[in-house]
Amino acid sequence: QIVYERVKKSLKYVVRRLEDEGVKIWIRPETTGKPTQFGTLKELIKLSQEVEYVLPTIDFAHIHARESGGCNTYEEFAEILVKLEEGLGRIILDNMHIHVSGIEYGPKGEIRHVNLKESDFNYEDLLKALRDFKVRGVVICESPNLEEDAILLKHTYLRLRRKRR
């Protein structure tokens, strides 16, 4: 609770300073990869409800690592998208900022980002969920070989879209 209030106060300060300068941009705190870190989905949804110009960045690999390998199925990805829409409305699904990578994790969560094919991260089910929920926005690839994995994500998504038609 103490950390949450500090983060909230700091974000309000940043937003106020930006507004004073005539700048209106979204501040995007990110879901984090270790259970000991601030940045759960629940915390970020709550922050976004309470602080203007704040919406979460959803790092699906971080959530997967935080959950010690959980949150890696279509149903679990869909559950995240449902929670986002319930908490923040359709605006979040129409204005997503997403990070994707492979990830290595242990009992304490995230160890490091790895290439998608070197990880157990189920990016294909994630892409299916994004497609089915008609998610719009930006996907940032954070793999060590980001060009190759970004192309892999793009081609997989396009293949899945063609299958759906």
Side-chain angles (χ1 to χ4, degrees), residues 2 13 25 60 75 77-78 90 99 101 105 114 120 154 157 159:
I2 293 169
Y13 173 78
I25 61 170
F60 286 94
E75 293 74 22
F77 296 132
R90 181 68 207 184
H99 293 176
S101 69
Y105 55 87
V114 298
D120 69 347
K154 177 183 177 180
Y157 184 77
R159 178 177 48 79

Side-chain angles (χ1 to χ4, degrees), residues 30 59 61-62 99-104 110-115 142-144:
E30 179 179 348
D59 188 316
H62 281 172
H99 293 176
V100 178
S101 69
I103 197 151
E104 182 182 333
E110 175 186 8
I111 296 171
R112 66 187 175 104
H113 288 207
V114 298
N115 295 326
E142 292 190 325
S143 296

Side-chain angles (χ1 to χ4, degrees), residues 77-125:
F77 296 132
E79 187 178 321
I80 289 171
L81 298 172
V82 166
K83 286 178 182 176
L84 286 165
E85 187 171 19
E86 286 175 353
L88 301 171
R90 181 68 207 184
I91 186 175
I92 186 60
L93 299 186
D94 288 337
N95 187 18
M96 289 284 287
H97 189 94
I98 298 168
H99 293 176
V100 178
S101 69
I103 197 151
E104 182 182 333
Y105 55 87
K108 295 181 181 179
E110 175 186 8
I111 296 171
R112 66 187 175 104
H113 288 207
V114 298
N115 295 326
L116 286 167
K117 289 182 178 178
E118 297 168 18
S119 170
D120 69 347
F121 184 70
N122 189 354
Y123 64 91
E124 189 161 327
D125 272 8

